[in-house]
Amino acid sequence: MPAQRLQGCRSLHLNEDNGRFALLALLILVYLLCGAAVFSAIERPSELRAHGRWNGTLLNFSETFNISLRELSSFLREYEAAIAAGIRADALRPRWDFTGAFYFVGTVVSTIGG
């Protein structure tokens, strides 16, 4: 019986170890796909509700302050880019002064190692 199983693997040009590895990789992929499906089914409705609330807030702000949605969206994109670059509206000191850089390096070295 084992010879037939090995024969099937040989026809695919896989030895037994490689066949087991391929099966394990396939099972892990199926597991990840199932996990993604469950996570998406749980989280997606909440994301859609939050997106709807955000759109309502944008529309209300736009109408209240007489700003077009296009201008408001453009402003918010610029704001997001500034935040990503580390610019803060009420920064008391620069983000990357010597003490901030020293703190960052110390955190990296103590967490990851040098």
Side-chain angles (χ1 to χ4, degrees), residues 20-35:
R20 287 180 181 166
F21 178 78
L23 181 60
L24 179 63
L26 179 66
L27 289 174
I28 290 172
L29 180 64
V30 169
Y31 180 75
L32 291 174
L33 290 172
C34 290

Side-chain angles (χ1 to χ4, degrees), residues 33-55:
L33 290 172
C34 290
V38 168
F39 187 78
S40 178
I42 291 171
E43 293 296 328
R44 184 68 177 152
S46 175
E47 181 184 4
L48 291 174
R49 284 190 302 274
H51 199 273
R53 284 192 307 270
W54 175 247
N55 284 340

Side-chain angles (χ1 to χ4, degrees), residues 19-95:
R20 287 180 181 166
F21 178 78
L23 181 60
L24 179 63
L26 179 66
L27 289 174
I28 290 172
L29 180 64
V30 169
Y31 180 75
L32 291 174
L33 290 172
C34 290
V38 168
F39 187 78
S40 178
I42 291 171
E43 293 296 328
R44 184 68 177 152
S46 175
E47 181 184 4
L48 291 174
R49 284 190 302 274
H51 199 273
R53 284 192 307 270
W54 175 247
N55 284 340
T57 300
L58 284 179
L59 185 60
N60 185 34
F61 188 89
S62 172
E63 290 173 353
T64 300
F65 294 100
N66 197 26
I67 301 172
S68 75
L69 282 174
R70 197 175 109 223
E71 290 174 324
L72 183 56
S73 293
S74 175
F75 174 77
L76 289 173
R77 275 191 293 280
E78 291 293 326
Y79 176 75
E80 287 174 347
I83 292 295
I87 298 170
R88 294 178 268 175
D90 60 350
L92 300 176
R93 64 180 179 81
R95 183 175 180 194

